[in-house]
Amino acid sequence: MPNVAHEAEFRLNPSERATSVVASSLTTIGKPISELPSVPARGIYYALVGSGHLNLNPTVLRVKVEGQSVFIRGVAKEGAIKQHSARLAVERLEQIIRGSAA
């Protein structure tokens, strides 16, 4: 099965809260990945989330925070029936982050 990726980039105000908002948002919807530890000092966070049909497709999210900019990349395996897991996971996390930052 091929890996399918989806990315998003957006800005948050104020920037000093961006890292804490991202970290708390990821713990809300996902769990840490021991093989890919987050590095908060560098603004890099990883989480494994469920996505796709009934949130059963594992999707890896990588979030990079640079100042006010937030970059999200999701990667998931997609079989014959496309679930758009990476896109759905990225969009869901972006909505949570934007809602928490407001």
Side-chain angles (χ1 to χ4, degrees):
M1 289 194 301
N3 289 329
V4 176
H6 185 78
E7 297 178 344
E9 176 183 350
F10 57 96
R11 298 177 67 79
L12 288 179
N13 287 317
S15 63
E16 62 270 3
R17 288 195 50 220
T19 55
S20 63
V21 168
V22 166
S24 65
S25 297
L26 276 173
T27 58
T28 300
I29 67 166
K31 58 184 176 180
I33 304 170
S34 60
E35 296 85 357
L36 293 170
S38 296
V39 186
R42 295 183 54 208
I44 299 173
Y45 301 88
Y46 292 96
L48 182 66
V49 301
S51 190
H53 182 68
L54 299 176
N55 288 331
L56 293 175
N57 195 13
T59 304
V60 175
L61 292 176
R62 178 188 189 270
V63 183
K64 172 79 173 153
V65 179
E66 292 179 347
Q68 293 175 302
S69 297
V70 178
F71 306 90
I72 305 173
R73 178 177 170 84
V75 179
K77 296 281 189 185
E78 292 283 353
I81 299 173
K82 305 298 180 216
Q83 299 182 53
H84 308 284
S85 298
R87 180 181 56 82
L88 293 172
V90 168
E91 289 173 353
R92 182 173 55 170
L93 180 60
E94 182 178 350
Q95 288 177 350
I96 292 170
I97 291 171
R98 286 181 183 271
S100 297

